[in-house]
Amino acid sequence: MKRADRLFQIVNFLQGRRMAVTAERIADEFDISIRTVYRDIQDLIITGVPINGEAGVGYMLDKSYYLPPMTFDVEELEVLMLGAAMVSSWTDTDMSVSAQTLIRKVRNALSERDRETFEGIALFAPPSRARPPWNINFSAIRRAVRKKEKIHLDYSDEQGRSTERTIRPLSLVFVGPVWMMLGWCELRKDFRHFRLDRVNQATFTGEFFEDTPETSLQTYLDSLGYCDGLRP
Amino acid sequence: MKRADRLFQIVNFLQGRRMAVTAERIADEFDISIRTVYRDIQDLIITGVPINGEAGVGYMLDKSYYLPPMTFDVEELEVLMLGAAMVSSWTDTDMSVSAQTLIRKVRNALSERDRETFEGIALFAPPSRARPPWNINFSAIRRAVRKKEKIHLDYSDEQGRSTERTIRPLSLVFVGPVWMMLGWCELRKDFRHFRLDRVNQATFTGEFFEDTPETSLQTYLDSLGYCDGLRP
DNA sequence: CACCTTACTGACACTTTTTGTCAGCATGGT
DNA sequence: ACCATGCTGACAAAAAGTGTCAGTAAGGTG
């Protein structure tokens, strides 16, 4: 079991470094010889962990997230499947594709018999009627949230008046059939939310922001007393 | 690597048998000695796989689903988190709890740095307004779908007329803010769907059904030309 | 180009882990 | 009481993992 453990740890070690790591560094870390590192890495790759090695550089893990072996009960796995199906129905094409991939991956990991259990638990009528169409890239917004990149918005308010402002995107909020972006508005100096279907144009500024005590998502949540576990 | 592989396979082997399996049976299957089986099982348990052994009986895996180590890209993991959050907001309490558990499990499995990436991607306003409340147990219906147990329904149709019928539950369908149950109606001898918020009473009959070519979910889907990947 | 760094491979002796065998105890079911 | 089975300890044999060394290939840099 010693080796198996080490293999997990190596993945963990590689994960969360944006620079390449040399075999020597790994050997030092785990107190093993470089030769053994090469052997370990090879076995990891065989197992399907997406590690890339380059001579003269080192090792890098593909920007991917490694989950160790886990067990779920029926309900949890059902949530996973249901959730992915819902996402597939209610977001944009890019994400829908990812949702399908996720579902396929997980299904394939189950034994034949278990797969049947999750057959047809839930279907989703496409929300084409109810959902107002938006014309900005959903995926791009999620990326901006992750990277904390400011967005310049051309937005129509309830009265149809068009305004422009720069906001710090903090989160996406799904309220009915409508997606909204929650952000800190630099114009109003306050939290605001923007319906995606009312955004005329979104420009990604390439400017990044840091959370401050006044502008952080946490602050907003606290101000709502939003502690009921609805946060992902 | 041989042993690590076998450990996975043993879990796979245990999974999907409702009767207990003896160590001897496992030893035969993998062509190893019984002693080794005991050692393997112990290591699996240490790793967290929920295996129960009883003297005089054999081994049983808790009704749980084991996922081998997997890698996801950002998008896929985001779908998982988003989906679970959506399920948490839009289904009943039981399932909401499972959704929270799922989210917690996955978050814990990620490295500290990665966790931040998935902070606050999406929030969900509780759908209390839009969603008509239902008074039957969502979880129980899902169980009936899984077990293929007939349900006796007291249902109010669009005109408010109350009818009773026995149906074979096939799937749950989420159409807007509304959940519906898709089933084969034994009264009408056809597929029908029933809004959960219009169900007055549901009785689980304890009677089970087998899919037939005429009454299967697949048949229904085929009749719709429903092949756009929206199925979980 | 020369030179350095690093990934990668093969071979072989050495070390550690895994395995099978055997012997015995504990427990659940009949 | 008896059987089937889980579970543990000990020890030698088998297998897998490891370090060392020697060498090749592929990036990067001056």
Side-chain angles (χ1 to χ4, degrees), chain A residues 1-108:
Chain A
M1 290 303 286
K2 221 178 82 189
R3 188 162 119 97
D5 280 354
R6 193 181 56 228
L7 292 184
F8 285 136
Q9 288 173 343
I10 289 179
V11 178
N12 236 297
F13 182 72
L14 286 177
Q15 187 160 280
R17 328 199 142 244
R18 51 188 75 222
M19 301 301 293
V21 182
T22 68
E24 196 181 4
R25 178 80 187 73
I26 298 174
D28 273 7
E29 184 74 19
F30 294 96
D31 211 32
I32 51 179
S33 73
I34 292 190
R35 184 66 181 87
T36 300
V37 174
Y38 290 128
R39 282 190 278 240
D40 284 358
I41 296 276
Q42 182 164 278
D43 279 345
L44 283 171
I45 291 172
I46 288 173
T47 316
V49 182
I51 297 175
N52 296 308
E54 262 185 286
V57 185
Y59 290 105
M60 278 245 276
L61 200 54
D62 269 7
K63 196 74 202 99
S64 71
Y65 300 87
Y66 178 80
L67 291 190
M70 304 179 80
T71 55
F72 297 112
D73 62 25
V74 205
E75 308 257 312
E76 286 158 3
L77 202 46
E78 212 172 69
V79 168
L80 197 165
M81 294 301 209
L82 252 167
M86 288 177 88
V87 170
S88 171
S89 289
W90 290 85
T91 59
D92 65 358
T93 318
D94 281 5
M95 207 156 187
S96 182
V97 169
S98 294
Q100 294 305 320
T101 314
L102 174 64
I103 290 170
R104 210 168 335 104
K105 274 193 185 179
V106 175
R107 284 190 91 246
N108 287 341

Side-chain angles (χ1 to χ4, degrees), chain B residues 4-39:
Chain B
D5 279 354
R6 193 183 53 230
L7 291 183
F8 288 136
Q9 288 173 344
I10 289 179
V11 178
N12 237 297
F13 182 72
L14 286 177
Q15 189 159 278
R17 330 199 140 239
R18 52 188 74 222
M19 301 301 294
V21 182
T22 68
E24 196 181 5
R25 177 82 187 73
I26 298 174
D28 275 6
E29 183 74 20
F30 294 96
D31 211 32
I32 51 181
S33 73
I34 292 189
R35 185 67 183 85
T36 301
V37 174
Y38 290 129
R39 281 189 280 240

Side-chain angles (χ1 to χ4, degrees), chain A residues 181-197:
Chain A
M181 168 166 44
L182 169 71
W184 168 268
C185 176
E186 300 205 324
L187 180 65
R188 300 289 177 220
K189 301 262 179 256
D190 201 357
F191 297 104
R192 284 281 187 281
H193 32 251
F194 305 91
R195 288 179 58 148
L196 292 198
D197 55 308

